[in-house]
Amino acid sequence: MIQPPSLLLEPEACGLLVQALENCGKKSFGGVDALVAALRAGEPWAHSLFRYALAQELGLYLNRICPNIRRVYVYGSTMDDRAGPSSDVDLILWVREKVPALESLLWKLDALLLHGYRMLTGFSGPPMFFDFHIVDDAEVAERQGYGAVIHSLWTAPVPLQLPEEARNRERTSLT
Amino acid sequence: MGVLGFLLEVVDVIHEGKGPAAQALQAMEANPYEMFKTQVRLAGQKLGLPADLLKIIETPERVLEVSVPVKMDDGRIEVFLGYRVQHSSARGPCKGGIRYHPAVTVDEVKALAGWMTLKCAVVDIPFGGGKGGIVCDPAGLSEGELERLTRRYTAMILPLIGPSRDIPAPDVNTNAKIMNWFMDTATVLRGEPMYAIVTGKDVAVGGARGRREATGRGVMIVTQEVLARLGKDLRGATVAVQGFGNVGSVAALLLHQAGAKVVGVADISGGLYHPSGLNIPELVEHVARSPRHVIAGYAAPGVVPIPAEEVLTLDVDVLIPAALEGQITERNAPRIKAQVIVEGANGPTTPEADVILEERGCIVVPDILANAGGVVVSYFEWVQNLQYFFWDEAETTARLAQIMRRAFQDVWNLAQAEKVSLRIAAQMLALARVAEAIRLRGLFP
């Protein structure tokens, strides 16, 4: 199901971090240096925006390599600018079916991203940078566990933007 | 047809897709407004309300759609779509939050506005229902863009809102900071202080003391009330709490302080169990210190880690689901041992599970009543802003308790009189109050 990435994950993780820093820095801080300074100062706004940018890059990457993923959602402190240096990022991955290889990939990626985050900011960070909740079609249809959250009126996690080809794939698969 | 039959019919039509009610209920996943209308129709029929009155209640009074142009940081102008729905002002100014989310739809906002009308009516505060939203991805916006979006949206809906017309509040992806901007924009544009135009602000700019604890406190109060009706003392009662955030942790702490034994709690990181009761103040302190603000890592003599889902099926007197919706399902409902369930979260029990729980004699205090403490304290914030007279936390707490106790008593009495569940009684009571206000005011012209 997953196209083989794992031996070369370190550069991939590094690429995600760099891209997130560039996008977020350019968008909201006038440059990467200002963003890094704000992160090191522990600014909640900077930590929320950076986490969201990194989640966005991770979502795009996972969509590229793993057609099994329908959508990636983010919610919690990242969305309401409560994130601090020790906050994790709550992600829900809606997949067609659960496969162990995906979990393994996520664990490895997370460890690498957390390492990068520590080097970048000087903070030890949370035990896991991303708190992944994987739900499959059946759980979403039956509104089981985090499957109930996807279409929640009250919690309403935000779906990460998809590249055009993934959006087309999603449209095709849902019709 | 008895209540159980009524509920079974509802569940049956969801599954089988028969009849007109079935079509409306099947649409609920895709269209919450259809679900709201169906709820109103079913409860209205039980009350014997005329169809034309129900039609008034089903339909929002006003639906405003606005385009919100915002200059982005890169110089482009992006146009966002926003809504404000005023469902009913029959009982007072409309009240309800504003959400920022990419999937906001007008039907979702209409449904949520309708549910706010019912929620305010259940606790008998002088508000109708409203809701608003902007179709946007808030985390994809810079702080400047978010502020400009909020201020422009405020300006666009300002002709329709105001302290005596419609009072917004935070909702999904909006917070005190956004409410502060909202109030400031209205103040600047109207040329006079407009603290009461919005609730959920920071305390320094007119927010209410005790707002954070309000929902959890309300949960504790209704728990106390329901146990008293069953002839049970809260002291020594065993409690399990699912969710240890703002609602669950406050409810657990207050119940512990009142003498209940909170034997099980769970959050996203797992569950904890102690047959003689957990030390909740210590656990709250642990969560505050823990980097992820979770219960994982807490250890004390006699405390056993359990899978998070097991907290729902512990052998306790009271179960408080205070996490997410859809947690009590037809799968775990048959194994729930608690006699009383107090819904701290919104929609934690699926309709199928509701039927099973009722068959088994469980008493469910519904979300519309149990978690209404938040909107009650929003009402207090509005009252204080109107009077420029601010209360201390003790006064907020005392008045909240008074309103929640009275609301519980009203719902309980109706449930006893009509021999219906508390959920149906709450819906009937709310609907009856709205209908009565419409009837008394008459129809203009």
Side-chain angles (χ1 to χ4, degrees):
Chain A
M1 217 20 107
I2 297 172
Q3 292 160 14
S6 53
L7 287 176
L8 297 169
L9 267 185
E10 200 164 335
E12 294 284 4
C14 190
L16 297 179
L17 271 170
V18 168
Q19 198 60 51
L21 278 171
E22 278 181 4
N23 290 350
C24 181
K26 191 174 154 197
K27 167 97 186 140
S28 303
F29 294 84
V32 172
D33 290 349
L35 168 60
V36 172
L39 287 171
R40 288 181 178 161
E43 292 286 343
W45 183 249
H47 278 271
S48 294
L49 286 177
F50 173 67
R51 277 161 171 72
Y52 186 75
L54 190 54
Q56 185 78 60
E57 291 308 314
L58 179 67
L60 291 173
Y61 172 69
L62 292 173
N63 257 294
R64 209 165 54 236
I65 64 156
C66 182
N68 184 29
I69 294 179
R70 284 196 188 280
R71 241 7 226 306
V72 182
Y73 296 81
V74 61
Y75 72 104
S77 61
T78 304
M79 293 307 301
D80 49 23
D81 83 46
R82 283 183 293 118
S86 304
S87 301
D88 57 10
V89 184
D90 296 300
L91 285 187
I92 303 175
L93 279 79
W94 178 6
V95 299
R96 287 171 174 79
E97 56 178 322
K98 291 183 184 177
V99 287
L102 176 60
E103 267 188 68
S104 157
L105 167 71
L106 294 174
W107 272 88
K108 286 174 191 161
L109 261 177
D110 189 77
L112 290 166
L113 290 171
L114 182 60
H115 179 68
Y117 171 81
R118 286 173 175 161
M119 301 286 285
L120 180 73
T121 63
F123 291 114
S124 59
M128 283 183 68
F129 197 80
F130 287 101
D131 193 2
F132 297 108
H133 303 282
I134 304 175
V135 298
D136 59 22
D137 283 354
E139 286 168 315
V140 174
E142 291 171 24
R143 302 175 70 83
Q144 297 275 318
Y146 281 86
V149 179
I150 296 239
H151 297 305
S152 166
L153 275 176
W154 316 106
T155 316
V158 171
L160 292 171
Q161 281 172 12
L162 296 174
E164 190 52 40
E165 70 271 21
R167 280 205 292 271
N168 288 335
R169 201 169 62 218
E170 183 186 59
R171 275 195 287 272
T172 314
S173 68
L174 290 174
T175 50
Chain B
M1 176 177 33
V3 176
L4 194 57
F6 165 74
L7 280 172
L8 281 168
E9 186 192 47
V10 171
V11 173
D12 184 53
V13 292
I14 291 170
H15 287 311
E16 301 298 326
K18 296 170 186 162
Q23 287 163 19
L25 283 165
Q26 279 175 336
M28 74 185 186
E29 288 284 315
N31 191 334
Y33 181 50
E34 291 301 327
M35 183 186 183
F36 169 74
K37 287 197 291 187
T38 305
Q39 275 182 351
V40 168
R41 233 171 284 152
L42 293 173
Q45 283 161 9
K46 282 198 75 64
L47 284 164
L49 296 176
D52 50 2
L53 184 58
L54 289 178
K55 191 77 188 162
I56 295 177
I57 298 173
E58 275 173 34
T59 316
E61 285 175 10
R62 285 194 191 89
V63 179
L64 175 65
E65 181 181 309
V66 291
S67 73
V68 190
V70 175
K71 191 163 213 174
M72 308 302 278
D73 291 343
D74 61 7
R76 281 178 309 114
I77 290 174
E78 202 164 312
V79 181
F80 296 89
L81 184 61
Y83 302 103
R84 184 69 190 173
V85 172
Q86 296 175 343
H87 174 261
S88 171
S89 59
R91 302 186 75 253
C94 300
K95 184 86 189 84
I98 289 170
R99 52 177 53 194
Y100 289 181
H101 194 274
V104 165
T105 66
V106 69
D107 275 356
E108 172 188 304
V109 180
K110 281 156 79 173
L112 291 164
W115 282 319
M116 281 305 295
T117 299
L118 300 183
K119 193 169 204 166
C120 293
V122 167
V123 287
D124 206 12
I125 53 176
F127 285 142
K131 208 79 178 183
I134 301 179
V135 184
C136 69
D137 179 355
L141 302 172
S142 70
E143 182 158 14
E145 289 165 346
L146 192 64
E147 181 173 352
R148 292 194 289 278
L149 174 71
T150 302
R151 290 187 183 276
R152 181 65 189 228
Y153 171 72
T154 309
M156 295 305 288
I157 67 168
L158 196 56
L160 284 191
I161 63 168
S164 57
R165 295 176 177 178
D166 183 359
I167 306 116
D171 196 79
V172 172
N173 298 327
T174 54
N175 53 24
K177 180 171 71 181
I178 288 172
M179 296 305 111
N180 300 343
W181 288 334
F182 205 102
M183 179 273 292
D184 181 69
T185 306
T187 297
V188 169
L189 291 177
R190 292 254 171 100
E192 56 183 323
M194 296 297 291
Y195 292 108
I197 200 167
V198 67
T199 62
K201 306 176 291 294
D202 281 308
V203 171
V205 286
R209 291 180 178 84
R211 172 67 187 84
R212 192 189 77 81
E213 297 82 7
T215 308
R217 190 174 289 283
V219 167
M220 188 277 277
I221 293 163
V222 297
T223 305
Q224 218 167 18
E225 291 297 302
V226 68
L227 287 178
R229 299 302 182 292
L230 299 174
K232 291 186 176 179
D233 195 349
L234 186 58
R235 262 172 206 288
T238 52
V239 180
V241 182
Q242 186 206 31
F244 211 67
N246 266 356
V247 181
S249 67
V250 171
L253 184 62
L254 294 171
L255 287 165
H256 172 87
Q257 286 167 352
K261 284 198 290 184
V262 182
V263 297
V265 300
D267 69 3
I268 53 164
S269 68
L272 297 170
Y273 175 70
H274 191 304
S276 314
L278 293 154
N279 184 336
I280 297 297
E282 206 176 270
L283 184 57
V284 167
E285 220 171 278
H286 165 83
V287 169
R289 277 200 317 267
S290 122
R292 293 173 61 212
H293 301 296
V294 291
I295 62 173
Y298 175 77
V303 175
V304 186
I306 56 170
E309 60 275 15
E310 271 184 26
V311 84
L312 293 171
T313 53
L314 287 174
D315 189 2
V316 289
D317 299 314
V318 181
L319 171 63
I320 300 177
L324 299 167
E325 66 189 88
Q327 298 302 297
I328 301 178
T329 65
E330 76 269 35
R331 290 188 185 183
N332 55 22
R335 290 181 284 119
I336 285 177
K337 298 176 192 75
Q339 193 197 351
V340 172
I341 297 172
V342 181
E343 293 184 335
N346 282 309
T349 312
T350 64
E352 296 89 339
D354 221 18
V355 175
I356 296 168
L357 294 173
E358 182 155 5
E359 271 177 342
R360 299 183 58 227
C362 286
I363 294 174
V364 180
V365 184
D367 50 3
I368 191 174
L369 170 64
N371 67 28
V375 75
V376 173
V377 173
S378 287
Y379 163 53
F380 295 162
E381 180 175 337
W382 175 74
V383 168
Q384 293 169 75
N385 289 163
L386 287 176
Q387 298 182 338
Y388 294 95
F389 180 74
F390 291 90
W391 311 344
D392 59 21
E393 200 167 333
E395 183 159 6
T396 298
T397 304
R399 289 183 185 273
L400 172 64
Q402 193 181 6
I403 288 184
M404 293 301 293
R405 291 210 163 93
R406 189 184 61 202
F408 183 86
Q409 180 72 56
D410 292 344
V411 172
W412 180 268
N413 288 349
L414 186 64
Q416 298 290 304
E418 297 288 330
K419 300 195 179 347
V420 295
S421 68
L422 293 178
R423 190 184 307 283
I424 291 178
Q427 285 177 4
M428 288 170 67
L429 179 67
L431 202 60
R433 282 180 172 156
V434 177
E436 178 69 350
I438 292 172
R439 191 186 66 77
L440 288 171
R441 291 171 64 140
L443 194 61
F444 175 85

